[in-house]
RNA sequence: CGAGAUGUAGCGCAGUUGGCUAGCGCAUCUGGUUUGGGACCAGAGGGUCGGGGGUUCGAAUCCCUUCAUCUCGACCA
């Protein structure tokens, strides 16, 4: 056994770390907190990008690119914003290196100090609003609907592959609008795009809602979020969309003449999802045998393994399979035919299971004689022997079925792990078991802080939709007994 | 940034009362036999023992120092 995963039950974090490395998604780099995303992991990101980008374009957005480096002064224009990010910014102070006097190392040239230091972007609101203010003079210039695919850097103390790294890849949408209502609707619309993507492409069910003041993005009026539940019972914030009000417009002096000829500050949104989604994908579906990828994101949807003795037999099997491969490709299915004779079939089976390939086909001498093929599905780990006739359409349907099944499993899991509690004592017990908890809260930051302090649980969001009977009805805060409008979603989170 | 642990071949580890040429498993390479769930035999290559300094006739082993990683806290998409 070349590659063994730590079982989830034994050590969930270790399982996750093992999987990331052994499934060839990413590895540790020479730079603290930064990872190398390997080709297999990156191709999952590329598929995510394709699906998201298409949805952004369909909703009228265009892509652009803004600089990596931001003048330090920009960050401090919005008071809350700087407060939120100042502690985790990397700063560029010099623009030149030189060889030291001993001639054996390069050192920073003290002569080359920057007049104004530059910040490696933790997010781009400031540089973008400094730019947008020049683009916007009239209501006729609005809306601006831009997105950028970029890297950002947040100097985190503790990092984990995909879930929290110092540098990560993401997209950030930044839009400018004429009215409060239009911007607010945009923030909601993009949250819905994220939720649709999470559920239909990633097969990860999410709870949509609004963040409490404490958890809100620094500089936003409101932050909307999609929250997913991982297999260890912890929540993962998987995407956020912010209604920024006029905060950044005011900070950067972005005004326009409205339809009444008056000067007004521009209304804004921003929204993003990151490579963290790969972490969500792993922790939502995978098992002790390795990754389980939903067909809609799997870089390889079908792998075909020939089982042969000698070159002559391989040739015969390959000929038999060629039309099947062609037909699958015609149906838009990504296929890998692994006829390498350097690895045994058993090794390949284990390897592709580890990598989460949704469907595996195998053909040996027996199948060839019978005109059959072995079909194995990753999500259920079941095998069946099927006739070669009509196999391609069968596989196409099977992939759709697997996508549906993976999602349903995740929905069922969430259903089993979403509870309501009415007393704080009960809450303390339940939170130890993990999962989502719907409970009443008095709406104050003090109570929220007390709960976090005592239980490590945070308010993930105030959900938009109802998940259990009566969760939208008023009640009494489980801690203080003060009135509460509706139940809010608690969990321990990543 | 606080507490603890660990650094020996690509990976996982043994060796640490100071003493021969630093070892084992996996991986790698060569040749052969194999191929329906992580094959077998034979041979081979691969090491600044995390870095620096010290003690000593002699250091992976003892001392000092430094760096890195992991776990747990504080902080966070």
């Amino acid at each position: 056994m070349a590659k063994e995963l730590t079982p989830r039950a034994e050590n969930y974090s270790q399982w996750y770390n093992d999987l990331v490395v052994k499934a060839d998604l990413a590895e540790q780099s020479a730079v603290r907190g930064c990872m190398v995303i390997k080709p297999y992991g990156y191709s999952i990101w590329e598929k995510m990008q394709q699906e998201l980008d298409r949805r952004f374009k369909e909703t009228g957005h265009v892509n652009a690119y803004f600089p990596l480096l931001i003048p330090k002064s920009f960050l401090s224009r919005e008071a809350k914003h700087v407060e939120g990010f100042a502690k985790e910014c990397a700063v560029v102070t010099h623009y030149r290196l030189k060889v030291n006097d001993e001639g054996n190392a390069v050192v920073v040239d003290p002569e080359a100090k920057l007049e104004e230091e530059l910040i490696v972007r933790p997010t781009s609101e400031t540089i973008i609003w400094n730019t947008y203010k020049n683009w916007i003079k009239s209501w006729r210039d609005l809306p601006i609907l831009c997105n950028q695919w970029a890297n950002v850097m947040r100097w985190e103390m503790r990092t984990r592959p995909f879930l929290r790294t110092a540098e990560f890849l993401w997209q950030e949408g930044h839009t400018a609008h004429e009215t409060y209502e239009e911007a607010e609707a945009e923030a909601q619309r993009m949250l819905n795009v994220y939720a649709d993507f999470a559920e239909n492409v990633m097969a990860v069910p999410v709870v949509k809602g609004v963040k409490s003041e404490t958890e809100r993005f620094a500089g936003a009026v409101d932050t909307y979020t999609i929250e997913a539940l991982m297999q260890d019972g912890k929540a993962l914030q998987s995407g956020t969309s912010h209604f920024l009000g006029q905060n950044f417009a005011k900070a950067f002096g972005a005004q326009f003449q409205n339809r009444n000829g008056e000067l007004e500050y521009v209304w804004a949104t921003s929204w993003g999802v990151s490579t963290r989604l790969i972490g969500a994908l792993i922790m939502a579906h995978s098992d002790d045998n390795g990754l389980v990828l939903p067909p809609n994101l799997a870089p390889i949807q079908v792998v075909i393994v020939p089982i042969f003795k000698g070159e002559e037999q391989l040739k015969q099997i390959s000929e038999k399979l060629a039309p099947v491969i062609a037909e699958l490709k015609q149906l838009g299915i990504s296929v890998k035919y692994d006829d390498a004779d350097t690895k045994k079939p058993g090794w390949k089976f284990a390897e592709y299971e580890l990598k989460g390939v949704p469907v595996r086909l195998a053909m040996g001498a027996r199948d060839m004689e019978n005109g059959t093929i072995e079909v194995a599905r990753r999500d259920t780990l079941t095998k069946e022997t099927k006739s070669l006739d009509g196999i391609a359409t069968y596989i196409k349907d099977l992939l759709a079925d697997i996508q549906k099944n993976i999602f349903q499993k995740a929905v069922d899991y969430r259903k089993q792990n979403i509870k309501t509690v009415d007393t704080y004592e009960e809450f303390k017990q339940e939170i130890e078991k993990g999962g989502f908890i719907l409970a009443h809260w008095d709406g104050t930051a003090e109570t929220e802080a007390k709960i976090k302090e005592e239980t490590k649980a945070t308010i993930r969001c105030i959900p938009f939709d109802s998940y259990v009977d009566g969760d939208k009805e008023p009640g009494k805060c489980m801690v203080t007994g003060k009135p509460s409008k509706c139940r809010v979603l608690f969990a321990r989170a990543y």
Side-chain angles (χ1 to χ4, degrees):
Chain A
M1 292 280 202
K3 297 177 180 176
E4 277 273 287
L5 288 176
T6 304
R8 284 167 296 176
E10 189 180 300
N11 184 340
Y12 194 83
S13 310
Q14 193 59 50
W15 166 81
Y16 177 84
N17 290 338
D18 282 1
L19 189 45
V20 166
V21 172
K22 289 178 177 168
D24 233 10
L25 300 175
E27 64 184 38
Q28 211 55 57
S29 76
V31 184
R32 182 194 176 86
C34 296
M35 63 176 173
V36 174
I37 304 177
K38 297 185 74 177
Y40 193 64
Y42 197 79
S43 63
I44 294 173
W45 178 237
E46 284 180 316
K47 291 210 117 186
M48 288 178 165
Q49 284 183 302
Q50 282 166 23
E51 290 284 347
L52 286 164
D53 204 62
R54 201 185 77 232
R55 285 166 168 78
F56 298 157
K57 302 280 169 59
E58 276 169 6
T59 44
H61 302 85
V62 290
N63 285 328
Y65 188 79
F66 295 86
L68 169 71
L69 299 175
I70 298 173
K72 192 178 71 180
S73 60
F74 281 19
L75 213 71
S76 54
R77 298 275 188 94
E78 217 287 334
K80 290 250 170 57
H81 191 65
V82 67
E83 208 180 293
F85 285 106
K87 284 172 292 185
E88 47 190 26
C89 285
V91 186
V92 178
T93 56
H94 292 75
Y95 58 86
R96 196 161 61 212
L97 298 173
K98 64 173 190 178
V99 176
N100 66 1
D101 294 341
E102 290 78 33
N104 57 10
V106 281
V107 294
V108 173
D109 185 345
E111 300 294 306
K113 195 162 163 43
L114 286 171
E115 190 89 346
E116 178 175 4
E117 290 157 344
L118 297 167
I119 310 300
V120 180
R121 63 180 164 217
T123 179
S124 303
E125 276 76 7
T126 56
I127 187 92
I128 284 176
W129 278 92
N130 184 66
T131 308
Y132 277 6
K133 74 161 194 281
N134 300 321
W135 293 1
I136 303 164
K137 297 287 172 227
S138 144
W139 64 272
R140 291 175 215 271
D141 297 325
L142 296 170
I144 294 173
L145 305 174
C146 276
N147 175 65
Q148 84 165 340
W149 289 98
N151 56 343
V152 286
M153 178 158 269
R154 297 179 189 174
W155 210 266
E156 300 290 351
M157 285 288 109
R158 247 175 94 186
T159 61
R160 300 195 64 191
F162 294 112
L163 297 174
R164 177 166 297 105
T165 46
E167 182 190 14
F168 58 93
L169 305 183
W170 76 346
Q171 56 71 218
E172 44 181 326
H174 294 272
T175 69
H177 305 267
E178 205 183 328
T179 64
Y180 176 106
E181 291 75 20
E182 193 185 306
E184 162 69 21
E186 166 77 0
Q188 298 264 2
R189 176 169 71 152
M190 297 322 288
L191 187 77
N192 285 321
V193 166
Y194 288 155
D196 172 71
F197 170 80
E199 301 199 335
N200 294 313
V201 179
M202 294 176 61
V204 175
V206 292
V207 173
K208 291 183 284 185
V210 60
K211 285 288 187 188
S212 67
E213 190 181 344
T214 316
E215 299 280 325
R216 185 185 294 159
F217 173 72
V221 173
D222 263 320
T223 290
Y224 304 125
T225 178
I226 51 172
E227 297 286 326
L229 184 61
M230 303 294 104
Q231 291 183 57
D232 62 344
K234 287 170 87 173
L236 184 73
Q237 177 175 307
S238 304
T240 50
S241 177
H242 315 291
F243 170 58
L244 301 174
Q246 294 173 309
N247 291 352
F248 284 91
K250 283 177 180 165
F252 287 88
Q255 285 179 300
F256 69 106
Q257 272 193 301
N258 65 22
R259 290 170 201 246
N260 302 321
E262 303 153 350
L263 271 185
E264 186 178 347
Y265 286 107
V266 183
W267 298 89
T269 81
S270 68
W271 27 274
V273 294
S274 72
T275 37
R276 174 179 249 202
L277 289 178
I278 296 175
L281 196 66
I282 297 167
M283 291 198 294
H285 305 311
S286 301
D287 61 24
D288 290 348
N289 293 314
L291 276 182
V292 175
L293 294 176
N296 289 347
L297 282 178
I300 302 165
Q301 292 172 309
V302 176
V303 65
I304 307 180
V305 178
I307 299 154
F308 56 94
K309 294 179 188 169
E311 270 182 48
E312 184 52 36
Q313 201 175 65
L314 172 61
K315 203 175 147 221
Q316 286 171 10
I317 295 172
S318 296
E319 277 168 14
K320 194 92 174 174
L321 285 170
V324 176
I325 294 168
E327 215 182 326
L328 285 169
K329 283 184 177 164
Q330 195 130 41
L331 292 172
I333 297 166
S334 59
V335 186
K336 175 169 176 169
Y337 180 48
D338 187 352
D339 62 351
D341 66 353
T342 49
K343 304 283 186 210
K344 290 191 64 169
W347 190 92
K348 293 177 188 176
F349 293 172
E351 180 70 9
Y352 292 112
E353 250 158 44
L354 187 59
K355 289 192 162 183
V357 177
V359 173
R360 183 187 72 235
L361 303 178
M363 179 183 274
R366 266 198 327 262
D367 289 305
M368 196 165 53
E369 269 177 42
N370 303 335
T372 57
I373 195 160
E374 184 186 84
V375 181
R377 55 188 283 182
R378 178 63 184 88
D379 60 333
T380 56
L381 291 168
T382 51
K383 292 193 280 199
E384 54 182 348
T385 300
K386 300 293 290 183
S387 164
L388 273 180
D389 295 332
I391 191 70
T393 48
Y394 176 77
I395 297 298
K396 188 181 167 68
D397 294 343
L398 180 63
L399 286 169
D401 193 52
I402 292 172
Q403 180 78 28
K404 222 170 77 187
N405 180 53
I406 292 176
F407 179 65
Q408 193 54 49
K409 257 163 102 171
V411 169
D412 292 345
Y413 173 79
R414 187 181 70 186
K415 204 166 182 180
Q416 284 162 23
N417 291 284
I418 188 164
K419 299 158 213 149
T420 57
V421 310
D422 293 310
T423 69
Y424 194 34
E425 274 314 304
E426 200 185 340
F427 180 86
K428 284 176 179 167
Q429 283 171 24
E430 286 298 323
I431 203 71
E432 291 300 327
K433 299 177 194 161
F436 283 156
I437 295 179
L438 286 160
H440 285 290
W441 162 62
D442 63 16
T444 66
E446 293 73 47
T447 305
E448 190 179 357
K450 178 183 160 76
I451 295 168
K452 184 177 179 184
E453 170 73 29
E454 293 175 358
T455 68
K456 291 177 190 162
T458 51
I459 296 174
R460 301 320 301 155
C461 68
I462 301 149
F464 293 148
D465 302 320
S466 175
Y467 291 88
V468 295
D469 285 344
D471 60 358
K472 291 288 157 197
E473 286 163 20
K476 282 182 180 169
C477 175
M478 64 173 173
V479 180
T480 62
K482 290 182 192 161
S484 147
K485 273 183 270 182
C486 65
R487 290 179 187 272
V488 302
L489 190 72
F490 287 91
R492 286 186 179 152
Y494 276 99

